[in-house]
């Protein structure tokens, strides 16, 4: 995998109550990723960017939602997210600015 692809796979960390709970309990981190990225690409990207060992990657696609507004129907875009489990004793500091 080339260097450009490594930086294009991970879009942003996904912040939610479930993601925070998983991070505390089972050393999982949740990221929004490129919709065409595979599990292997996500694993290599996280390992390269954060210099850590990834134990497993699980992905899912969040379906787009249709909302009723006063101007009619609007569509909220869907996305793909990845649950990344790290090896024991490792963590990612998402608050540090590089």
């Amino acid at each position: 995998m080339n260097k450009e692809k490594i930086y294009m796979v991970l879009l942003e960390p996904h912040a939610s109550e479930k993601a925070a709970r998983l991070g505390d309990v089972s050393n999982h981190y949740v990221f929004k990723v490129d919709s065409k990225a595979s599990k292997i690409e996500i694993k290599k990207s996280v390992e390269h960017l954060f210099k850590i060992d990834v134990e497993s990657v699980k992905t899912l696609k969040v379906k787009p939602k249709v909302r009723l507004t006063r101007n009619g129907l609007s569509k909220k875009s869907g996305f793909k997210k990845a649950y990344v489990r790290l090896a024991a004793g490792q963590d990612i500091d998402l608050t540090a600015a590089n």
Side-chain angles (χ1 to χ4, degrees), residues 32-81:
K32 286 186 181 179
V33 295
D34 183 31
S35 61
K36 297 177 185 174
S38 67
K39 291 181 181 183
I40 296 169
E41 291 173 341
I42 295 167
K43 180 178 179 178
K44 288 181 181 179
S45 179
V46 170
E47 286 177 344
H48 178 75
L49 290 174
F50 298 107
K51 309 283 190 284
I52 55 170
D53 295 326
V54 173
E55 200 170 285
S56 67
V57 176
K58 295 180 182 179
T59 61
L60 65 97
K61 288 189 177 183
V62 177
K63 294 181 181 180
K65 296 180 180 179
V66 177
R67 307 257 172 141
L68 180 63
T69 64
R70 66 180 174 174
N71 297 328
L73 295 176
S74 67
K75 190 174 184 181
K76 193 173 183 183
S77 63
F79 58 93
K80 185 174 185 177
K81 64 181 174 179

